[in-house]
């Protein structure tokens, strides 16, 4: 159900159940967890993508229909654990999105750090029409990305939005021509993999936490992380490399960005 590939320092995790539009069953969640743990040990950045015509149709509804309330809570808790592993590890994760990015598929994408959609991607939260609620962290992560009003609308009306709207709504950071999401995500992940590991860790783990702090606490914590990161041997070498003109300069944005 999950493919795993290492391309240089980038781990690629592929959702591979195209006959069910990559709908996520319990076993599937377990396989995503194993792949994320393997990537943590082997890679410096990761990409999640979907095989077939869609990224992911969300929760496996066939499996869900047979659950007791307690099994449902435990199942949701498992999704939370696995997606939190993804969100607060030390690897930056990029999501390559195409076709349906629906329900739990959007929740998975929301747990990644950067989302790249191609023009075929569409986004929906059809939980309301199915008689259920989000259970993979969407009320926390997806709502923070696009805002509660938009998420409420999508959940109440079954509204489906295209990639361009998703970018405007902050759900995705890049929109690329159809068929190019994976290639672009790998390219971006390769860049992130070349950063200082501590910087990536700080970006992933500190930024979201600081957003949840008061302004004063946020500034206080930022100073410590800033000072700590600047005094790591890797930072010292990178700073020296720039001053000795051995490191690249910042460049003007390419037209795609
Ligand atoms: C599925 C699922 C699924 C497809 N669980 N089996 N998610 C949804 O409500 C989305 C439901 N799926 C769809 O709306 C469509 O399948 C798609 C728009 C994603 C794709 O359409 P299409 O025409 O390419 O495929 P299809 O013919 O609808 O589906 C192919 C097969 O996949 C078919 O099974 P088959 O045995 O008839 O071949 C479908 O039944 C099956 N399939 N999606 C189970 N989701 C942690 S809480 C998260 C809560 C949620 O995620 S709610 C949203 C659930």
């Amino acid at each position: 159900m999950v493919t795993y590939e290492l391309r240089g320092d980038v781990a690629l995790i592929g959702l591979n159940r195209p006959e069910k539009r990559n709908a996520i069953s319990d076993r599937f969640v377990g396989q995503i967890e194993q792949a994320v743990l393997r990537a943590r040990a082997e890679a410096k950045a990761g990409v999640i993508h979907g095989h077939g015509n869609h990224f992911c149709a969300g929760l496996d509804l066939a499996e869900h229909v047979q659950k007791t309330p307690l099994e449902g809570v435990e199942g949701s808790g498992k999704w939370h654990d696995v997606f939190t592993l993804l969100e607060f590890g030390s690897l930056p994760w990029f999501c390559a999105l195409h076709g349906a990015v629906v329900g739990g598929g959007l929740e998975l994408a929301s747990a990644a750090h950067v989302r790249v959609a191609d023009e075929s991607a569409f986004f929906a939260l059809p939980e309301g029409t199915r008689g259920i609620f989000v259970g993979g962290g969407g009320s926390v992560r997806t709502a923070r990305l696009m805002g509660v009003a938009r998420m409420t609308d999508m959940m109440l009306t079954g509204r489906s939005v295209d990639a361009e709207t998703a970018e405007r709504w902050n759900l995705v950071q890049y929109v690329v021509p159809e068929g190019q999401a994976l290639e672009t995500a790998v390219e971006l992940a390769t860049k992130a993999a070349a950063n200082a590991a501590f910087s990536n860790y700080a970006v992933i783990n500190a930024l979201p936490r600081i957003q949840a702090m008061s302004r004063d606490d946020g500034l206080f914590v930022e100073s410590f992380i800033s000072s700590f990161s600047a005094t790591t041997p890797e930072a010292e070498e990178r700073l020296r490399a720039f001053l000795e003109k051995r490191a690249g300069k910042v460049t003007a944005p390419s037209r795609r960005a």
Side-chain angles (χ1 to χ4, degrees), residues 19-21 23 54 57-62 79 100 102-104 107 122 126-127 130 132-136:
E19 71 286 1
K20 294 290 178 191
R21 307 309 183 246
H54 300 281
L59 177 72
D60 184 328
L61 296 170
W79 283 54
V102 168
E107 293 181 283
F122 58 98
E127 280 81 353
R130 311 281 178 236
I132 57 178
F133 190 66
V134 284

Side-chain angles (χ1 to χ4, degrees), residues 8-216:
D9 283 329
V10 177
L12 272 63
I13 296 180
L15 310 180
N16 192 23
R17 199 189 176 202
E19 71 286 1
K20 294 290 178 191
R21 307 309 183 246
N22 298 328
I24 301 178
S25 61
D26 288 345
R27 201 158 69 86
F28 203 158
V29 179
Q31 289 191 11
I32 296 172
E33 180 178 34
Q34 291 313 309
V36 170
L37 288 171
R38 183 169 168 195
R40 277 183 164 195
E42 297 179 349
K44 293 186 175 163
V47 172
I48 298 178
H49 64 102
H51 293 279
N53 294 332
H54 300 281
F55 174 69
C56 177
L59 177 72
D60 184 328
L61 296 170
E63 199 177 75
H64 203 63
V65 95
Q66 303 146 2
K67 286 196 169 156
T68 65
L70 183 56
E71 285 168 346
V73 172
E74 287 171 349
S76 167
K78 181 69 184 175
W79 283 54
H80 291 164
D81 290 348
V82 175
F83 291 2
T84 299
L85 198 67
L86 192 78
E87 185 182 21
F88 290 124
S90 45
L91 298 194
W93 285 98
F94 294 72
C95 238
L97 304 171
H98 72 295
V101 184
V102 168
L106 179 52
E107 293 181 283
L108 168 58
S110 301
H113 305 102
V114 179
R115 286 154 292 279
V116 181
D118 84 10
E119 283 164 351
S120 73
F122 58 98
F123 301 77
L125 291 165
E127 280 81 353
T129 62
R130 311 281 178 236
I132 57 178
F133 190 66
V134 284
S139 61
V140 173
R141 297 190 187 94
T142 314
R144 276 195 191 141
L145 288 175
M146 68 173 152
V148 171
R150 288 172 176 147
M151 184 159 167
T152 304
D153 173 27
M154 285 177 79
M155 292 194 72
L156 290 179
T157 66
R159 181 174 181 179
S160 180
V161 300
D162 61 13
E164 198 189 306
T165 306
E167 186 185 28
R168 208 159 28 82
W169 285 8
N170 210 32
L171 270 183
V172 305
Q173 290 100 317
Y174 296 84
V175 179
V176 297
E178 191 167 339
Q180 289 184 19
L182 178 56
E183 177 198 326
T184 306
V186 172
E187 208 177 286
L188 295 167
T190 303
K191 287 185 187 172
N195 291 338
F198 187 84
S199 293
N200 282 345
Y201 183 87
V203 170
I204 293 164
N205 289 278
L207 271 183
R209 289 188 171 93
I210 288 174
Q211 303 320 296
M213 291 177 191
S214 70
R215 185 190 144 83
D216 257 14

